[in-house]
């Protein structure tokens, strides 16, 4: 199959009206149902009169351009990744949100009180995007560390524990962390007691720095395994973005990604996507993707290395603080047949709203 190496303008110029219409119908059918479209069905859908044989000739030309392909012998045609990119760039008309849709987004994200933590609003934004898009809503925030007042480790299995963080406003974070080999329940308690004795009124970053200073003098208080646990525990709370600010990734609506799975290939794609999402460096990569261009950006399949294996699409937009610094990003992850024209304005408006909230304009 040929690859799409020419520009959008070049490809557009090479298509006549009937080729454009055949291609548009194939893509729209795929985005709507995920099904390939055959020549006989296409000939009945087209506004112009074309026989199935003529449609097949047009399909052959589109295949030569790398825009469509046949998933199976004698099957209909589906758009390639390059074809989807061409459709998004050349055909897709992005509408605007209705007043009702804007009101619904604001209603779901709007803080319920003046002291509601930003964390809660980030979670609501992710949940809202998931519900409206039927994909997985994603919010990543580079933010200031909360001040902590208590931490606890709960053993789940020999190599994993649940770390419970309680902030100064009683907000609770749960994180699953990997345990060094051989850690006992008493060592978990010992590590938690040590942290609680040293973290009062400190942020996670300050605590991490403090522990570095205390390493040598607390050697007698903590054995090697407990020190390792403390260090590992602190290391997994958050990734690090370029300016050394802690980052947080919130994903809601993963169950939506299960819809429409029809075979082992889909299950494998979903497994790879979940693996991608669990990688700590994804925090940095998603922010990098959002920062590389203004407004909403669309990444289809392998166009970004983060989801190259799973072939998933990402629609993402950054949001900025009062000093015009990018402090986070919102988006939707899903299969390549996302409803791009509907989700783009949704992500864009949510990013604008999150920017206002991050500036304290509630």
């Amino acid at each position: 199959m040929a690859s799409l190496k020419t520009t959008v303008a070049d490809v557009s110029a090479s298509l006549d009206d009937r080729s454009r219409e055949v291609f548009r119908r194939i893509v729209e059918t795929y985005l709507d149902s995920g099904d390939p479209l055959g020549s006989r069905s296409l000939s009945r859908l087209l506004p112009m009169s074309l026989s199935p044989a003529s449609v097949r000739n047009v399909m052959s030309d589109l295949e030569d351009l790398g825009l469509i392909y046949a998933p199976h012998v004698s099957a209909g045609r589906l758009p390639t990744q390059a074809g989807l990119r061409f459709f998004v760039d050349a055909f897709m008309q992005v509408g605007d949100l209705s007043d009702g849709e804007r009101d619904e987004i604001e209603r779901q994200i709007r803080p319920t009180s003046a002291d509601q933590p930003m964390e809660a609003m980030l979670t609501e934004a992710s949940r809202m995007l998931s519900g409206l898009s039927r994909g997985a809503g994603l919010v990543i925030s580079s933010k200031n560390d909360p001040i902590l007042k208590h931490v606890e480790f709960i053993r789940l299995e020999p190599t994993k524990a649940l770390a419970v963080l309680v902030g100064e406003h009683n907000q609770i974070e749960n994180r699953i962390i990997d345990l060094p080999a051989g850690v006992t329940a008493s060592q978990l308690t010992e590590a938690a007691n040590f942290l609680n004795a040293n973290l009062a009124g400190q942020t996670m970053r300050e605590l991490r720095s403090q522990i570095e200073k205390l390493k040598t003098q607390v050697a007698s208080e903590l054995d090697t395994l407990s020190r390792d646990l403390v260090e590992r525990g602190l290391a997994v709370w958050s990734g690090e973005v370029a300016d050394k600010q802690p980052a947080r990734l919130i994903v809601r609506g993963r169950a939506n990604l299960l819809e429409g799975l029809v075979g082992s290939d889909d299950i494998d794609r979903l497994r790879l996507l979940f693996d991608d999402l669990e990688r700590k460096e994804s925090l940095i990569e998603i922010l990098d993707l959002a920062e590389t261009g203004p407004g909403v950006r669309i990444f289809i399949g392998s166009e970004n290395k983060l989801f190259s294996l799973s072939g998933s699409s990402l629609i993402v937009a950054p949001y900025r603080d009062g000093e015009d610094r990018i402090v986070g990003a919102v988006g939707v992850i899903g299969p390549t047949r996302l409803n791009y024209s509907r989700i783009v304005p949704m992500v864009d408006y949510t990013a604008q709203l999150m920017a206002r909230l991050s500036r304290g304009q509630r």
Side-chain angles (χ1 to χ4, degrees):
M1 180 175 62
S3 60
L4 188 63
K5 296 181 179 179
T6 49
T7 67
V8 171
D10 291 336
V11 176
S12 294
S14 68
L15 299 180
D16 57 22
D17 288 343
R18 67 177 189 176
S19 297
R20 294 171 68 87
E21 188 64 23
V22 166
F23 174 68
R24 186 177 66 81
R25 297 282 180 166
I26 291 173
V27 176
E28 289 179 348
T29 298
Y30 169 72
L31 295 178
D32 180 59
S33 67
D35 296 329
L37 192 59
S39 57
R40 189 171 299 278
S41 297
L42 248 172
S43 66
R44 293 194 292 265
L45 293 173
L46 294 172
M48 68 279 292
S49 178
L50 278 182
S51 68
S54 296
V55 170
R56 284 193 292 272
N57 289 334
V58 174
M59 285 178 164
S60 178
D61 292 338
L62 293 172
E63 282 191 82
D64 290 341
L65 287 171
L67 296 174
I68 63 173
Y69 75 103
H72 307 289
V73 177
S74 300
R77 300 300 187 271
L78 293 172
T80 62
Q81 178 182 307
L84 281 175
R85 167 50 63 188
F86 174 65
F87 177 84
V88 166
D89 292 341
F91 285 79
M92 189 179 76
Q93 295 182 342
V94 177
D96 197 6
L97 296 177
S98 67
D99 291 340
E101 289 172 321
R102 290 171 183 262
D103 291 343
E104 178 65 14
I105 291 174
E106 293 195 25
R107 184 188 66 79
Q108 295 193 46
I109 302 178
R110 184 183 296 120
T112 56
S113 64
D115 61 349
Q116 182 177 356
M118 190 67 177
E119 198 71 35
M121 287 181 280
L122 292 172
T123 300
E124 286 304 315
S126 179
R127 183 180 292 113
M128 179 275 301
L129 283 172
S130 169
L132 294 180
S133 70
R134 304 308 302 163
L138 174 149
V139 175
I140 180 172
S141 173
S142 170
K143 58 177 181 58
N144 293 325
D145 264 337
I147 294 176
L148 301 172
K149 70 176 185 180
H150 185 76
V151 66
E152 186 175 342
F153 295 116
I154 302 172
R155 187 186 178 109
L156 300 177
E157 55 186 74
T159 59
K160 291 189 182 298
L162 177 67
V164 182
L165 289 174
V166 182
E168 62 176 339
H169 298 298
N170 293 322
Q171 67 268 37
I172 298 176
E173 272 185 41
N174 295 319
R175 286 288 179 271
I176 295 177
I177 63 173
D178 294 324
L179 296 176
V183 169
T184 65
S186 62
Q187 288 168 332
L188 285 173
T189 301
E190 186 180 0
N193 289 341
F194 170 76
L195 287 173
N196 289 321
N198 289 276
L199 62 75
Q202 297 186 71
T203 65
M204 187 63 75
R205 184 190 304 178
E206 293 168 340
L207 179 60
R208 184 184 292 114
S209 175
Q210 181 72 2
I211 287 180
E212 287 295 324
K213 297 176 183 177
L214 292 175
K215 261 186 184 180
T216 54
Q217 61 191 81
V218 301
S220 60
E221 300 176 36
L222 289 174
D223 62 25
T224 303
L225 288 176
S226 291
R227 282 203 310 276
D228 192 26
L229 173 62
V230 169
E231 292 166 20
R232 285 171 183 257
L234 290 175
V236 299
W237 300 139
S238 58
E240 294 279 339
V241 293
D243 60 358
K244 303 303 181 184
Q245 291 289 319
R248 158 76 42 121
L249 178 69
I250 300 173
V251 179
R252 291 289 182 273
R254 291 188 181 190
N256 292 338
L257 300 177
L258 298 171
E259 295 179 358
L261 298 186
V262 296
S264 59
D265 289 345
D266 286 336
I267 298 295
D268 289 342
R269 178 190 62 78
L270 192 65
R271 177 181 56 79
L272 290 168
L273 173 58
F274 285 176
D275 289 344
D276 285 337
L277 289 173
E278 294 302 330
R279 291 162 50 214
K280 296 182 183 65
E281 58 266 31
S282 65
L283 300 169
I284 301 171
E285 293 180 28
I286 291 174
L287 272 182
D288 286 345
L289 291 174
E291 289 178 3
T292 51
V296 180
R297 303 207 65 206
I298 300 173
F299 299 91
I300 301 173
S302 61
E303 288 182 350
N304 71 85
K305 63 180 180 178
L306 178 57
F307 300 134
S308 60
L309 295 178
S310 60
S312 301
S313 286
L314 169 67
I315 301 174
V316 64
Y319 60 91
R320 300 173 182 269
D321 62 12
E323 299 178 12
D324 205 36
R325 296 174 304 185
I326 291 179
V327 292
V330 300
V332 171
I333 312 166
T336 53
R337 64 183 190 89
L338 285 170
N339 188 339
Y340 298 95
S341 61
R342 178 172 178 268
I343 295 175
V344 166
M346 187 187 306
V347 169
D348 185 35
Y349 188 69
T350 303
Q352 295 175 37
L353 183 58
M354 294 305 298
R356 296 207 304 267
L357 293 174
S358 69
R359 297 166 187 155
Q361 301 172 354
R362 301 185 177 187

